[in-house]
Amino acid sequence: MRGADVLQESLFTVRKLDDFVPAAHPLRPIREQVNQALVRLDGLFARMYAEDAKGGRPSIAPEKLLRAMLLQVFYSIRSERQLMEQTQYNLLFRWFIGLAMDDVVWVPTVFSKNRDRLIEHDAVVALFNEVLAQADQAGWLSGEHFSVDGTLIQAWAGHKSFVRKDGDDEGDGSDFRGQRRSNDTHASTSDPDARLYRKGGTASELRYIGHTLSDNRHGLIANARVTHADGYAEREAAKAMIADAVQAAAEDAQVTLGADKGYDAAEFVEALQEMKVIPHVAQNTSNRRSAVPDEIASSDGYAISQRKRKLIEQGFGWAKFIGPIRQVMVRGLAKVDQVFMLAMTGYNLVRMRTLGQLRLQSGKAA
């Protein structure tokens, strides 16, 4: 018998949001990991809003804000407006964020304003560190063997906005053929922090550079940051990140750092050796002599590092294909850095969920 095409809603329902989310949904273990990290950040959140304790309208709870921002990464949502629209009717999103069915969804401009407050207190960096601490407790980090690399991030600004700083440009900046332009004399009116930069066979674009330090055991991101785009940024960022790793490592640890040929510079290798870091940098012997000693390049550990360092590309690939860093839709170094850190936090959470499932399966098999 043919069913009737009739919508008949119940006046009341006793079902909870959790009832609508399948028990095996991949967001369940991720939400548990995120909530564990957010609990440990309660002190930070209290300090963030201490100045508002005397009164005023309550702001968006930072825990809900961070969970919503992670959803934006996981589901490739391009803007806050689209995120708010999805949250309005998507029960999965409401469940993950922590909104009840009847809760009012935030206005996009209010959401953006509260997101900017997280930058002032490095809340996304703190979340990244807490998630990484969970990975360390689970034994998924070596704490000694690392790889480093950088990736280009296209800025939310075009060539027309890249005009002379002294205002001597003729026209609207659209016709720049035959003109000599450089970051010393020109700047973007849309995003002054962006730099005109090219690498390899790519065309010159307004860009930033995102840098990551990955742990070689499972390829989890141990450190991340965004810098202005220039020819020295990658090595300078690498030195800063590995210095943090050395400080956190055990006193007797033999820290190694793998990298591609672009890092094979005498100044960089010497800086690593001064920090007592073994330079497992790919040797560049094209019409030159490598700065990496041959005795290091011939070791077994060097060969392992060269294989493992390719894991770092998985983080970049995920963050550009799924995440929002192929071309960011925010302007300014601080905001781009926040987006990049959030994307790498999301990548670690997804990777840790997979590692946890593999561990559970191996335990059942045993």
Side-chain angles (χ1 to χ4, degrees):
M1 183 178 69
R2 178 182 176 182
D5 183 18
V6 177
L7 175 63
Q8 185 174 358
E9 293 184 298
S10 301
L11 184 60
F12 301 103
T13 180
V14 294
R15 299 185 69 184
K16 300 179 296 183
L17 273 176
D18 191 77
D19 298 334
F20 293 95
V21 182
H25 197 281
L27 277 184
R28 281 193 177 273
I30 290 178
R31 190 176 193 273
E32 183 177 346
Q33 292 168 349
V34 172
N35 287 345
Q36 290 176 10
L38 292 175
V39 168
R40 297 177 65 89
L41 295 178
D42 184 69
L44 171 63
F45 297 148
R47 293 192 298 272
M48 285 172 56
Y49 294 88
E51 64 271 16
D52 298 336
K54 295 182 180 180
R57 181 179 297 178
S59 62
I60 301 175
E63 296 89 346
K64 290 183 171 63
L65 181 63
L66 285 166
R67 285 194 289 260
M69 291 169 65
L70 282 171
L71 279 178
Q72 194 171 357
V73 174
F74 292 144
Y75 286 90
S76 306
I77 300 174
R78 294 288 290 170
S79 67
E80 283 81 5
R81 187 172 299 278
Q82 289 181 357
L83 177 63
M84 297 303 98
E85 179 185 345
Q86 284 274 347
T87 305
Q88 182 67 39
Y89 55 77
N90 193 320
L91 296 183
L92 177 67
F93 280 25
R94 284 180 173 267
W95 167 82
F96 187 88
I97 294 171
L99 292 174
M101 291 186 190
D102 297 330
D103 285 346
V104 177
V105 179
W106 313 295
V107 177
T109 54
V110 174
F111 185 89
S112 300
K113 183 178 179 180
N114 279 265
R115 181 198 63 192
D116 292 343
R117 176 178 290 193
L118 299 180
I119 298 177
E120 300 174 14
H121 299 269
D122 288 331
V124 173
V125 176
L127 177 62
F128 175 90
N129 290 334
E130 289 297 337
V131 170
L132 195 67
Q134 293 181 27
D136 192 25
Q137 293 172 2
W140 291 328
L141 301 178
S142 70
E144 298 182 1
H145 307 295
F146 302 94
S147 297
V148 69
D149 204 355
T151 189
L152 299 178
I153 301 173
Q154 189 170 345
W156 193 240
H159 280 285
K160 290 184 179 181
S161 71
F162 195 65
V163 297
R164 289 188 63 87
K165 298 177 182 179
D166 56 16
D168 285 346
D169 280 290
E170 296 182 0
D172 60 359
S174 60
D175 186 10
F176 50 82
R177 297 183 184 278
Q179 299 180 11
R180 185 177 181 85
R181 304 191 304 168
S182 74
N183 292 310
D184 294 332
T185 58
H186 291 63
S188 170
T189 55
S190 300
D191 187 354
D193 286 340
R195 298 290 184 269
L196 194 66
Y197 185 73
R198 62 176 298 173
K199 182 180 179 181
T202 62
S204 293
E205 298 285 352
L206 288 167
R207 292 183 167 118
Y208 294 89
I209 300 183
H211 314 268
T212 59
L213 183 80
S214 68
D215 188 278
N216 285 353
R217 179 166 291 175
H218 291 292
L220 291 169
I221 305 303
N223 203 329
R225 63 191 62 194
V226 172
T227 65
H228 296 296
D230 63 53
Y232 303 96
E234 290 188 88
R235 292 196 291 270
E236 292 302 316
K239 286 188 285 187
M241 291 189 294
I242 195 61
D244 292 343
V246 170
Q247 188 175 4
E251 292 184 6
D252 58 345
Q254 291 187 337
V255 179
T256 66
L257 181 66
D260 60 33
K261 293 181 180 180
Y263 294 83
D264 185 5
E267 176 271 335
F268 181 70
V269 172
E270 290 171 4
L272 294 183
Q273 292 173 329
E274 289 177 3
M275 289 186 281
K276 296 182 170 32
V277 175
I278 303 174
H280 285 177
V281 179
Q283 286 188 311
N284 185 2
T285 57
S286 300
N287 301 320
R288 64 188 293 272
R289 183 174 180 177
S290 173
V292 181
D294 290 336
E295 55 269 24
I296 293 178
S298 61
S299 64
D300 293 337
Y302 180 88
I304 294 173
S305 289
Q306 288 302 302
R307 292 197 303 270
K308 285 287 189 176
R309 72 176 177 84
K310 297 175 183 178
L311 289 173
I312 202 170
E313 298 294 344
Q314 295 181 9
F316 289 147
W318 186 90
K320 286 191 173 185
F321 186 73
I322 302 296
I325 70 165
R326 182 178 297 279
Q327 182 179 28
V328 289
M329 293 187 68
V330 295
R331 296 187 174 109
L333 183 63
K335 291 183 179 181
V336 174
D337 184 70
Q338 183 191 57
V339 170
F340 188 73
M341 289 296 300
L342 195 70
M344 292 307 161
T345 303
Y347 173 74
N348 277 351
L349 286 166
V350 172
R351 184 84 178 112
M352 289 163 60
R353 179 199 63 198
T354 302
L355 292 172
Q357 291 172 342
L358 292 174
R359 175 176 290 179
L360 184 62
Q361 292 173 3
S362 63
K364 291 180 178 180

